[in-house]
Amino acid sequence: MTGLRDAPAVAAARYEMVVGLEVHVQLRTHTKAFCSCDATYGAPPNVNTCPVCLALPGALPALNREAVHLAMRAALALGCTVNDVSVFARKNYFYPDLPKGYQISQYDRPLALAGRLEIGDGDAARTVGITRVHMEEDAGKSIHDRYPGATAIDLNRAGIPLIEIVSEPDMRSSTEAVAYLAALKQILEYIDVSDVNMEEGSLRVDANVSARRRGATALGTKTEVKNMNSFSGVQRALDAEFQRQCVLLDRGERVEQQTMLWDGARDEVRPARSKEASHDYRYFPEPDLPPLVLERPWIDEVRAELPELPRARRARFGRDYGLAAADIAVLTASPALAEYFESAAKLHRDPKAAANWVMGEVLAALNATNESIRSFRITPAALARLLDLVRDGTVSHSAAKRVFALMVETGEPADRVAEREGLVQVRDADELTRWVDEVLAEHPAEAGRFRAGETKLLGVLVGMVMKKSKGRADPRRVNQLLSERAGG
């Protein structure tokens, strides 16, 4: 497709992008969907296999109850209606890493239907429909770069439980598609059904994209873009494919229904194969698995155990803590960070101070060490204690940053660090006076101008005293002492 992406963007201005997404999500189970093999990522190749996931003759699948539980949890969080009865089907196609020659999936009677997902806020808020959520198993993995001229197969992934979340074609730009993915990923993190790690393939995206004349209502011929493993990749791939289709339509040519591969290195899409229709897969009910019958009390129980979802938490943080929308967006980015902030805020009883420290020092420390908030050695209680020391004047704000850095390094509590490092704030009048006198003596020019009425030097002199005291002086008392010298 070289060259098409360089076509004039004016063609795209006459058309509208229509996008629907199919998102495959690996469920956070200990074992595979239909056998007891370990589902942990990263094991040596072909270690986690058995007759069932290798599709040996006579092996029979047995459904993983935890996978059903997590799939229901996701469907309910997305507002879907969970069907009392759903049916597993065989989706027949050949792949080197699909040992059975078919994939156990769901087809005409899926787990759940008709959900929704809110994206954006305020006037930009809109709803994207969720067509269905169905369960299926993953295929294995083909490895093309390990041996020259040969492809290796790793079947550890064969049989890993997935859900496929299929949206309605409700998105009209690549930006909306990314907003949808971000909102979906955040919900899945909040309900803890998957680690949604795109680099490890726990969340994979296929996009159905078409172009139509602006003002038209009928859908155009769609293509399916695969091989996208990042949000930025999705955005770039959709833009490239949309522009390709616009150019074809502008030339009076036809868009062919086909599967496209995204090449992020070349920033282009290229055809992989003609797009299959559902009848090409020759779906039929899986004869080795009975229909999945879900008792209504179990569905209600899973619904009741859902945690507070991101949108509700953002609204509550605004209502309860009076924080700005931008701050709330940062603090609720992950459930773990939101819980950390809220615990510290409740213990310290000053949400704004807690928010500033979490968004500042805490996130900076995590970024520096690439550490997770869940394993961060400074607990919310330890942070709250440090903020208490700042509030009651035991340590200055600048000294508190030094204390915090040492707490990260040693894991020691704030009181002990402040005491040992001599960072407890000094309020003794004699000592403060001595530091003030020394600073004025060491900087006679500034002292003279200050005494002559150049009051803007007050801040400079306070800073000098703070530096001399190594951050221990009480800045309010220093300010008072220096002000008393002004004009004196």
Side-chain angles (χ1 to χ4, degrees):
M1 295 298 107
T2 302
L4 284 177
R5 68 176 186 275
D6 300 323
V10 66
R14 289 190 282 274
Y15 297 92
E16 177 181 55
M17 182 189 292
V18 179
V19 179
L21 296 177
E22 299 174 5
V23 180
H24 293 83
V25 179
Q26 179 177 329
L27 297 174
R28 193 196 291 274
T29 57
H30 296 296
T31 57
K32 294 185 179 181
F34 302 112
C35 65
S36 59
C37 284
D38 193 333
T40 305
Y41 177 84
N46 297 309
V47 168
N48 297 329
T49 57
C50 73
V52 173
C53 49
L54 292 176
L56 298 183
L60 293 174
L63 181 58
N64 183 336
R65 179 182 172 89
E66 181 59 14
V68 178
H69 174 218
L70 296 179
M72 267 202 292
R73 193 173 165 87
L76 292 168
L78 294 170
C80 292
T81 299
V82 174
N83 293 320
D84 294 342
V85 180
S86 59
V87 174
F88 286 99
R90 289 188 178 183
K91 182 181 182 181
N92 295 276
Y93 61 101
F94 173 77
Y95 258 58
D97 51 21
L98 186 70
K100 286 195 283 282
Y102 61 85
Q103 178 187 27
I104 299 179
S105 182
Q106 293 186 314
Y107 177 49
D108 55 345
R109 300 180 70 183
L111 177 79
L113 296 165
R116 64 194 173 281
L117 181 62
E118 306 289 334
I119 61 174
D121 290 305
D123 294 339
R126 55 179 313 224
T127 301
V128 175
I130 303 292
T131 311
R132 55 190 276 148
V133 175
H134 68 256
M135 300 183 66
E136 62 185 25
E137 62 176 343
D138 209 346
K141 183 178 181 181
S142 297
I143 302 168
H144 304 292
D145 57 358
R146 184 73 59 86
Y147 306 102
T151 294
I153 304 294
D154 180 3
L155 294 175
N156 280 347
R157 209 172 68 180
I160 293 289
L162 305 176
I163 51 173
E164 183 172 342
I165 302 167
V166 182
S167 84
E168 293 289 311
D170 288 344
M171 288 156 275
R172 296 291 175 266
S173 69
S174 60
T175 302
E176 283 192 354
V178 170
Y180 170 90
L181 289 172
L184 177 61
K185 182 172 182 284
Q186 193 176 45
I187 288 175
L188 296 171
E189 285 181 310
Y190 266 66
I191 61 175
D192 198 27
V193 299
S194 171
D195 63 20
V196 289
N197 186 328
M198 294 187 78
E199 290 183 356
E200 295 179 358
S202 300
L203 188 149
R204 306 196 292 271
V205 182
D206 298 338
N208 292 303
V209 56
S210 62
R212 65 182 175 190
R213 284 276 183 184
R214 293 194 178 276
T217 55
L219 296 175
T221 301
K222 68 182 178 183
T223 57
E224 183 179 32
V225 185
K226 290 180 173 289
N227 208 33
M228 300 171 290
N229 59 3
S230 69
F231 286 179
S232 63
V234 170
Q235 184 152 21
R236 289 159 56 209
L238 287 177
D239 287 338
E241 173 58 8
F242 175 60
Q243 191 168 57
R244 185 189 74 88
Q245 293 188 18
C246 291
V247 171
L248 290 175
L249 295 172
D250 234 33
R251 290 175 183 163
E253 298 177 18
R254 189 170 59 87
V255 175
E256 184 181 348
Q257 181 171 319
Q258 57 188 341
T259 298
M260 313 292 293
L261 290 181
W262 165 243
D263 186 335
R266 297 186 175 185
D267 217 24
E268 66 178 24
V269 289
R270 57 173 178 267
R273 60 181 186 272
S274 296
K275 173 67 177 170
E276 297 88 349
S278 58
H279 63 262
D280 291 324
Y281 292 115
R282 304 184 316 282
Y283 281 99
F284 63 85
E286 165 60 60
D288 294 332
L289 287 168
L292 175 58
V293 179
L294 299 173
E295 301 292 341
R296 188 50 53 179
W298 191 23
I299 298 174
D300 293 340
E301 181 184 325
V302 175
R303 189 196 313 277
E305 71 184 16
L306 285 176
E308 184 180 44
L309 298 180
R311 184 169 288 266
R313 180 163 288 182
R314 288 195 293 272
R316 184 171 61 79
F317 275 18
R319 192 172 56 246
D320 292 356
Y321 301 124
L323 301 173
D327 293 350
I328 293 172
V330 173
L331 295 169
T332 59
S334 74
L337 185 64
E339 288 155 13
Y340 184 97
F341 155 72
E342 191 157 29
S343 296
K346 287 179 176 176
L347 290 166
H348 177 55
R349 300 184 304 284
D350 183 345
K352 183 60 179 170
N356 288 340
W357 273 79
V358 171
M359 291 189 295
E361 302 302 313
V362 172
L363 288 183
L366 294 175
N367 289 335
T369 58
N370 200 26
E371 190 179 358
S372 162
I373 187 70
R374 292 189 187 280
S375 58
F376 190 45
R377 69 191 313 176
I378 308 301
T379 65
L383 176 64
R385 178 56 187 158
L386 174 60
L387 301 189
D388 290 345
L389 296 180
V390 176
R391 181 170 54 198
D392 67 20
T394 302
V395 297
S396 68
H397 190 269
S398 60
K401 292 187 175 182
R402 172 65 178 154
V403 173
F404 179 84
L406 291 169
M407 291 168 67
V408 172
E409 186 178 318
T410 65
E412 293 180 312
D415 300 81
R416 188 184 305 166
V417 172
E419 190 68 37
R420 187 188 66 233
E421 298 295 320
L423 294 172
V424 174
Q425 198 155 267
V426 173
R427 298 172 186 164
D428 178 77
D430 291 340
E431 193 161 4
L432 292 175
T433 299
R434 180 171 59 79
W435 283 329
V436 168
D437 290 341
E438 288 177 3
V439 164
L440 294 177
E442 292 165 3
H443 302 277
E446 288 83 355
R449 287 158 51 202
F450 180 64
R451 289 193 179 100
E454 196 173 333
T455 56
K456 65 182 182 182
L457 287 174
L458 176 62
V460 175
L461 295 170
V462 170
M464 290 176 177
V465 175
M466 294 304 296
K467 184 177 181 181
K468 177 173 278 296
S469 70
K470 298 180 180 176
R472 297 165 59 208
D474 180 346
R476 286 170 294 188
R477 286 290 300 132
V478 171
N479 200 302
Q480 290 171 357
L481 290 171
L482 280 166
S483 295
E484 290 168 7
R485 308 291 180 92

